[in-house]
Amino acid sequence: MPKMPPAAIHRWVLYILLAMIPAGGCTNYNQKVDHLVDTYRQGRFEEAAAEIVEISKDEEASKDELVILLEQGAVLRAANRLAESNAALERAYQICKTFDEKAKIRLSKEAYAALVNQASTPYEGYGYDRIMICVYKALNYLELGSVDDARIEVNRVREAQQDCAERYADKIDNDRAAARDQGYDVDRTMQDPKLQQMLSSNYADLPDLRGEAVYLNPYAEYVQMLFHLYAEDRLSRENGRVAARNLRGMVDGPVRRYLDADLVQAEQIARSQAAEPTTYILLETGVAPRRDQIRIDLPIFLLNLGRHDTFVDYIGVAFPTLKTQGGYDSGLRIHTSAGNFATLPVADMDRIIGQEFKNELPGVITRTIISAALKAGISYALARGTKDNDTANALVRIGSLIYQAATNEADRRTWRTLPRQMQIARFATPRDRNLLLEFDGAPPRNISLAPGTINVIWIRQTGPQCVTPAVRQLVLK
């Protein structure tokens, strides 16, 4: 390799130092929202709402805008600021659509990400983000009495599930093809024993599910069922029956007894029989996992280099991990004059997020390795080109080391105010229409049901510190 002229050396050193500024001085996402999430988990929803509104003002058009809007939508919903919640969620939905439409135009973004890290690029969201945006908007509109708007969001839920399966179908193969095209032997690196040990010790507990099923959320299906089953038109009622059947195929365990009762009611409604007075409980409890990171040194093999001294002093990579957040209500007890009931899990966001995380992991590893290899290649070229100039060589190697260390960061952004678990209960509405809700850690709550045939109680209990869960009701029929 020819020696690099002094002007080129100075230029590359400048590039490295400039690149270090945004990467090294950037606050990671968790540091931005940790206090917000703590406030939210304590059930201080109004304070959390004020905090996220202020945060969002500083994040407009930033790389974190989408994930901040997601937090804003969930927190404002818990605080019963439904119109504002919908505004934030609709903005998030439109940003997701823009990203999806431009999914094939990635050259400048991917090039920048390769030189810095994935956390430095705009957050584009995951499949579960897109689905839960529509679920929350549908529930908001139902509470606001806007049935037509709720119908749009319920239909978007189904579309989001289908779009997510298509969006990610070939992503892993495309990542590996891109690695081969750029001359990086990812397969050889993936076989490295140190990497395999890291994967085994940090990701062994993740669920193993591939394909379309990754993007199926039973809670989203349940909300669709409730909306369609008790709608006025026959087509919607038939859709409700289909959703009731689908749910029995998605979910196992004790909650099946509630789903069986829903299916019986769905079959009756499909035969034009009147719906029996029924009360539904929707409990969202705990908070979703946060993302952290692990760092590891890897041997990165560039196909165009031999095994001699590469003049590279540092090669490191950082991979994201999921960290479960403890504390959630194991089951709400409901006491009525006609009997006692308990909520049972219908969906687990830890599992849903974990499934998609594992599905994405090979692509994340591939992109991270490409980035590390590219940085190593640049460091090699700079060090090799200055090997006859001790001062320039030392400057270049120190700058390269600082640059690689400063940009060695995983993407730790994720929607943290989602629930950890969704639980349901359903029972015949008692004649006196009175309920007593008994929580794990909060004082009991008396509820007088509003007039109606089909009542829904929505509850947000964020953990054992939450002594004032959000409890609201709506009437579907």
Side-chain angles (χ1 to χ4, degrees):
M1 181 177 292
K3 284 191 278 188
M4 189 176 291
I9 295 170
H10 296 155
R11 185 166 62 250
W12 272 105
V13 171
L14 178 61
Y15 289 163
I16 289 173
L17 294 176
L18 288 174
M20 287 164 46
I21 295 171
C26 180
T27 301
N28 76 55
Y29 180 70
N30 286 331
Q31 291 173 322
K32 288 183 182 180
V33 301
D34 273 343
H35 186 270
L36 163 75
V37 175
D38 286 344
T39 303
Y40 182 74
R41 294 189 72 179
Q42 293 170 23
R44 292 152 51 197
F45 298 128
E46 284 293 344
E47 292 178 46
E51 188 171 345
I52 189 60
V53 168
E54 287 303 311
I55 293 174
S56 67
K57 292 177 182 177
D58 296 329
E59 298 297 333
E60 290 183 11
S62 78
K63 63 184 178 63
D64 297 337
E65 180 182 17
L66 173 56
V67 68
I68 291 294
L69 285 168
L70 298 175
E71 309 286 17
Q72 188 175 4
V75 172
L76 289 172
R77 170 166 170 74
N80 202 19
R81 293 164 60 171
L82 304 182
E84 295 171 80
S85 171
N86 272 347
L89 293 171
E90 178 61 20
R91 174 63 181 150
Y93 178 83
Q94 294 302 328
I95 292 174
C96 288
K97 295 295 287 185
T98 299
F99 282 135
D100 294 346
E101 290 165 2
K102 296 180 179 179
K104 296 181 180 180
I105 308 173
R106 285 288 188 267
L107 292 180
S108 61
K109 171 184 175 292
E110 294 300 339
Y112 179 71
L115 285 171
V116 188
N117 52 53
Q118 295 296 316
S120 65
T121 62
Y123 179 83
E124 296 190 13
Y126 298 96
Y128 56 85
D129 290 338
R130 287 154 170 78
I131 292 165
M132 288 303 297
I133 286 171
C134 303
V135 169
Y136 278 164
K137 287 194 70 186
L139 290 171
N140 283 344
Y141 280 127
L142 285 174
E143 282 195 61
L144 292 169
S146 303
V147 176
D148 290 340
D149 290 321
R151 183 184 299 277
I152 292 172
E153 300 306 325
V154 166
N155 291 335
R156 280 178 171 180
V157 171
R158 176 64 59 191
E159 293 170 3
Q161 289 174 329
Q162 295 170 346
D163 290 346
C164 287
E166 295 172 5
R167 181 174 182 260
Y168 293 110
D170 300 321
K171 195 168 184 181
I172 294 173
D173 289 339
N174 290 341
D175 285 330
R176 300 184 75 82
R180 290 193 298 270
D181 291 343
Q182 296 184 45
Y184 301 118
D185 192 347
V186 175
D187 288 332
R188 188 174 176 183
T189 303
M190 289 290 289
Q191 293 167 9
D192 176 68
K194 192 172 184 180
L195 175 59
Q196 288 298 318
Q197 182 182 4
M198 182 276 293
L199 293 175
S200 176
S201 60
N202 289 280
Y203 301 116
D205 293 337
L206 291 175
D208 190 12
L209 190 62
R210 300 283 179 178
E212 183 180 359
V214 172
Y215 309 104
L216 294 181
N217 181 329
Y219 186 63
E221 195 76 15
Y222 201 77
V223 171
Q224 290 180 80
M225 183 204 72
L226 290 177
F227 176 85
H228 286 304
L229 199 57
Y230 301 111
E232 297 299 325
D233 60 292
R234 185 176 184 84
L235 178 60
S236 283
R237 293 197 296 271
E238 178 58 29
N239 288 337
R241 178 167 64 169
V242 170
R245 289 175 176 173
N246 290 342
L247 277 160
R248 294 189 73 258
M250 290 183 192
V251 182
D252 292 321
V255 75
R256 287 284 291 270
R257 70 172 181 262
Y258 291 144
L259 303 181
D260 288 344
D262 282 323
L263 184 56
V264 170
Q265 180 121 304
E267 298 291 352
Q268 293 174 345
I269 292 172
R271 294 193 297 268
S272 299
Q273 298 180 16
E276 298 177 1
T278 307
T279 296
Y280 290 89
I281 307 292
L282 305 181
L283 171 66
E284 298 179 13
T285 181
V287 294
R290 62 180 284 164
R291 287 192 176 217
D292 212 326
Q293 69 176 8
I294 52 174
R295 293 176 182 240
I296 187 172
D297 293 325
L298 288 176
I300 306 297
F301 296 97
L302 281 67
L303 295 182
N304 60 337
L305 294 179
R307 298 194 181 190
H308 53 276
D309 180 14
T310 62
F311 298 93
V312 177
D313 301 295
Y314 174 89
I315 300 176
V317 290
F319 297 123
T321 59
L322 285 180
K323 203 169 184 181
T324 299
Q325 302 301 287
Y328 66 101
D329 204 316
S330 60
L332 174 71
R333 280 75 62 199
I334 306 105
H335 304 284
T336 78
S337 58
N340 301 320
F341 307 90
T343 57
L344 297 169
V346 70
D348 190 301
M349 286 305 300
D350 278 8
R351 179 169 178 80
I352 290 169
I353 292 171
Q355 286 169 349
E356 188 167 349
F357 180 91
K358 188 169 184 177
N359 202 36
E360 290 266 295
L361 189 58
V364 171
I365 291 174
T366 298
R367 291 191 294 275
T368 303
I369 290 172
I370 289 175
S371 175
L374 179 59
K375 294 171 190 175
I378 292 173
S379 297
Y380 169 85
L382 292 171
R384 178 76 175 179
T386 60
K387 66 185 181 69
D388 295 330
N389 183 327
D390 291 344
T391 301
N393 189 260
L395 180 61
V396 161
R397 295 180 81 144
I398 291 172
S400 295
L401 189 151
I402 296 173
Y403 163 67
Q404 291 192 63
T407 58
N408 183 21
E409 182 178 347
D411 190 349
R412 286 178 270 181
R413 294 169 295 183
T414 186
W415 189 355
R416 292 180 55 187
T417 51
L418 282 173
R420 176 174 178 172
Q421 197 174 84
M422 292 88 154
Q423 302 177 13
I424 62 169
R426 57 100 68 203
F427 45 88
T429 301
R431 290 184 178 275
D432 62 8
R433 307 186 71 81
N434 291 322
L435 313 176
L436 176 64
L437 307 180
E438 184 183 353
F439 299 90
D440 274 350
R445 186 84 62 92
N446 287 297
I447 299 292
S448 180
L449 294 173
T453 303
I454 305 299
N455 293 81
V456 178
I457 307 294
W458 176 83
I459 302 166
R460 187 64 176 103
Q461 162 62 298
T462 51
Q465 296 174 303
C466 179
V467 296
T468 54
V471 180
R472 299 199 299 270
Q473 61 176 301
L474 61 96
V475 176
L476 288 180
K477 194 176 182 66

